[in-house]
Amino acid sequence: MFDLSLLIPDFLSILPVVPWTLAMAVAVFVLSTLLGSLFALCEYRRLPVLRELVVAYKVVFKGVPMVVVIFLAYFGLPAALEFVTGLVGLKVNGHMTPNWVTLIVALTSCVAAFQTEVIKGALNSFDKGQAEAAHSLGYTGWQLFRRVLLPQVTVAAIPDLANSVMVIMKALSLGFAIEVVDIFAQAQLTAALNFYYLEAFLVAVVIYMVIAYLVTQLADFSERRLRLRS
């Protein structure tokens, strides 16, 4: 039977992990966008060797399921960290790496492959004739990037970047496999106490819907403001 009286207690139980989930999502989003932007520039500029490496990276991380990457990071990251720090004469116990760090690294690696495509698509939408016009007016490379290229590329990328935020939010639920508690994991733990799973998951759904609505509104507002400025 569905018990309405459990909705508020379940909500109060799940609510404390919402800020933590959002913090992890923001970290993955920022890091993956920066990494994806770097990769997209390598492809956009057609840099020898680097471009081929980026293509290989995308093939791997777009093809391998995220949960597999998470487990690879969980078992492989400590050893890799110890090896790298050992090269510079440092002694670090890689097995002390927090699981949430492992999750962020794994998801950043996966999402960066998709962010590369988003940024590359936005770069390809830029009219190169505007760059030629800006150079004819005496713009430096930095001025062209800051005043012309960046605003237009950002506007073009905002819808897809907003979608990637929700992809990250949903991907964080995979962290339960390595004992990282997010909204979904907390809903499972809450339901396990009384076996009323429907109520707990319904609360989680509502929270995800509210976050999705806020992200959409923020993206629309940012896009309108940037279009006015550009």
Side-chain angles (χ1 to χ4, degrees):
M1 292 292 292
F2 186 81
D3 192 345
L4 285 173
S5 65
L6 291 175
L7 294 181
I8 293 179
D10 286 353
F11 174 76
L12 295 177
S13 176
I14 297 171
L15 186 61
V17 304
V18 173
W20 175 239
T21 304
L22 291 174
M24 289 192 293
V26 169
V28 173
F29 175 77
V30 172
L31 293 173
S32 63
T33 302
L34 291 175
L35 190 59
S37 299
L38 182 62
F39 290 164
L41 284 173
C42 291
E43 285 198 277
Y44 183 72
R45 296 290 185 180
R46 300 183 179 276
L47 299 179
V49 182
L50 291 178
R51 184 189 179 194
E52 284 70 26
L53 291 175
V54 169
V55 172
Y57 178 92
K58 290 192 300 181
V59 169
V60 172
F61 283 96
K62 288 169 68 176
V64 178
M66 287 187 181
V67 68
V68 175
V69 177
I70 290 173
F71 277 115
L72 288 175
Y74 181 73
F75 292 107
L77 188 60
L81 184 60
E82 291 179 358
F83 174 76
V84 172
T85 54
L87 294 177
V88 294
L90 297 176
K91 273 192 173 183
V92 175
N93 185 358
H95 296 282
M96 296 297 292
T97 305
N99 289 352
W100 61 267
V101 173
T102 301
L103 180 62
I104 289 175
V105 170
L107 292 186
T108 296
S109 301
C110 293
V111 177
F114 296 94
Q115 299 292 63
T116 300
E117 300 290 5
V118 171
I119 304 300
K120 187 178 73 171
L123 287 171
N124 289 333
S125 69
F126 178 71
D127 184 3
K128 295 182 179 180
Q130 295 186 52
E132 297 173 358
H135 284 307
S136 67
L137 293 174
Y139 276 46
T140 64
W142 170 246
Q143 288 174 326
L144 169 63
F145 174 78
R146 183 172 60 88
R147 297 181 181 179
V148 182
L149 178 63
L150 183 60
Q152 295 187 40
V153 169
T154 302
V155 169
I158 281 179
D160 290 327
L161 291 177
N163 289 336
S164 70
V165 173
M166 295 316 304
V167 171
I168 293 168
M169 288 292 300
K170 290 183 285 187
L172 285 171
S173 64
L174 298 173
F176 194 48
I178 57 172
E179 301 178 351
V180 177
V181 178
D182 72 323
I183 295 172
F184 169 73
Q186 186 59 40
Q188 283 189 301
L189 295 173
T190 299
L193 297 176
N194 53 25
F195 298 102
Y196 283 84
Y197 286 89
L198 180 59
E199 291 81 355
F201 288 139
L202 180 60
V203 171
V205 166
V206 171
I207 292 175
Y208 280 121
M209 289 175 62
V210 171
I211 293 172
Y213 174 78
L214 294 176
V215 169
T216 301
Q217 292 300 310
L218 179 60
D220 290 343
F221 174 77
S222 301
E223 186 176 4
R224 287 194 301 268
R225 291 294 299 271
L226 287 173
R227 285 190 185 279
L228 288 174
R229 289 184 179 183
S230 58

